[in-house]
Amino acid sequence: LVAQFMNEHFVCIKVDREERPDIDHIYMTAVHMMNQQGGWPLNCIALPDGKPIWGGTYFPREQWLEALGQVHAYYRQNPQNTRQHAADLAEGIRQNSIFQVESQLQTFTHNEVHNSVRKWSLQFDREHGGQKGAPKFPLPVNLEFLLHYGYQYADQDIRKHVDLTLTSMARGGIYDQVGGGFARYSVDPVWKVPHFEKMLYDNAQLIRLYSSAYQLSGKELYADVIRQSIDFTRRELLSPEGAFYSALDADSEGEEGKYYIWNKEELEDLLGGDFELFSEYYNVNATGLWEQGRYILYRTSDPEEFAGEQGLDYRWFKEKIGEWNSILLTARSKRVAPGLDDKSLTSWSSLMISALVHAYDAIGEQPYLELAISSASLIRKNMWSEDRVLYRNYKDGHRTIPGFHIDYALYIEACLDLYSSSLDKNWLELAIELTETTMDQFFDPGTDMFNYNGKNAELLISNNVETQDNVIPSSNSVMAHNLFRLGHLMLKREYLDLSATMMKQMQGRFEQYPHGFANWGRLMLMSLNPYYEIVVAGPSAKSMLSTIKSEYLPHALVAGSTEDIAHPLFQNRFDNNKTQIFVCRDNVCRLPVENPEEARKIFQVE
């Protein structure tokens, strides 16, 4: 009956908001302007020209039918009023999408950053990490900023908060203790009960975050999370040809979490004599109980700590955990798996490529870099056309949607990361070519920002300028970072100046709402504090570079070359007979050294 009524009176169109975030943004803005609560599933009714007239989120069956009938009747009886309402709403959407240029760009100081972080810290959950309350989202963009801030200013309180958050998440039910990878969020304040959906973009950014935290702390728990989460990604989110899938559903057999939870009888049968020790470690007790006699594996300690408390040999216990996980993973693989969203998106895949590069830098596993290279090569082959259009989506050998600014920005970032760690200058050249296209297609000289849709894209009601960082950093903040890096790499002043202008326009917003502009905040940290160019040139540049990049260096650009190349950053710096490290600031360099320890004395945080 509902489908019949909809098909008789409306043209029904289903939009994948992950494929078309630009369309989703327009109609979500419309719903907000109608004083409705935003969310999904989002339902909007529009005129044939796409201008919305009514919308909302979730509706029970009878309420939905009643609303459809009322909208249809009103349109038939008042066509002129309806068209005027749609025009007014469309104009409101356009006005809402205009980026408000800051009329006065004031100089930002260390104190203003400190004050913003101090206000932000009032929202910290000091017992379980993250933000106070529930639900609890990981928000890796925010944690990346706080990690950088804590390191840059030697703020032990902030560093402890980040460590508490990362440790609590890694122990919690939000983390798949058996198979690796993080769920979308936890519904409670202790990271225990997740919304079991697993997204590529969450896991990519969290792998990168844990890689940075491992570089800084050397904490073995973080390395375990990196390895296990990459194993999950390769096992469950990688296509045979090497493309990354988008997500795994929360449900299987119509029930959320059924694939991931356990009952005691099942565990006793699988683990035999190990069950008692297993249940102590994973809290198969009142602590881990979820509902209907089923348990979420949930840890309250790390292997070393637990082994000490139980009088166990640590290495033996670590091997035992590996055996348990292998047994349970095999058993779980026989269950009906959650649904797989097997489309590939350029922006999300680029996040995973960058994550793999950072994981390679942190723990030195060559296969991570190889997978990053093969995945980035697949995007270059399948998504980057001869007429310099980067496509957003890929599935079953087809690409259909030209990329948005976020796709270009994150793929440029991935190419720069690959160049930095592989020393293959082809990735730098591709990043430069993509940047030139981005400047041509998306840049708005009136605002010194980048539009979300390119100038050759289909004409919609409005063209958004994305600046607020969310679960994924905003396209403009990523691009400002790219321009900052490319400006230092290419000694290109105009890129550095544009990056600085973009950042300065966001300073007031960051000051008011730092956790909504955290990626901009990282750029502010780089601009306020000494920023180094570390150039390694010579036959052994790659191995020496790996040593340097195993450290946490958010305040430095690291580049290298094993050959004499015509690049301004390497001019007059290559010597066939030795490998040298040049540490520079704004291309003013100290005398070269041949030992990473000597270089470290120069570029360490002041």
Side-chain angles (χ1 to χ4, degrees), residues 544-559:
M544 198 174 288
L545 195 80
S546 295
T547 301
I548 294 170
K549 293 199 75 182
S550 66
E551 299 180 43
Y552 181 59
L553 299 172
H555 62 303
L557 171 91
V558 185

Side-chain angles (χ1 to χ4, degrees), residues 41 56 101 417 491 528:
V101 178
D417 287 339
L491 310 183
L528 283 170

Side-chain angles (χ1 to χ4, degrees), residues 360-361 366 369 418-425 534-550 558-565 569-570 573-582 593-596 599:
Y360 164 75
D361 291 340
Q366 185 68 26
L369 181 61
L418 278 171
Y419 165 67
S420 180
S421 293
S422 71
L423 304 191
D424 182 347
K425 62 180 181 293
I534 303 170
V535 180
V536 185
S540 303
K542 190 156 191 198
S543 61
M544 198 174 288
L545 195 80
S546 295
T547 301
I548 294 170
K549 293 199 75 182
S550 66
V558 185
S561 179
T562 55
E563 57 182 329
D564 192 5
I565 58 174
L569 205 59
F570 296 99
R573 290 177 179 169
F574 187 83
D575 189 326
N576 272 316
N577 300 311
K578 57 185 175 182
T579 298
Q580 300 178 99
I581 306 168
F582 299 81
V593 296
E594 297 180 40
N595 187 309

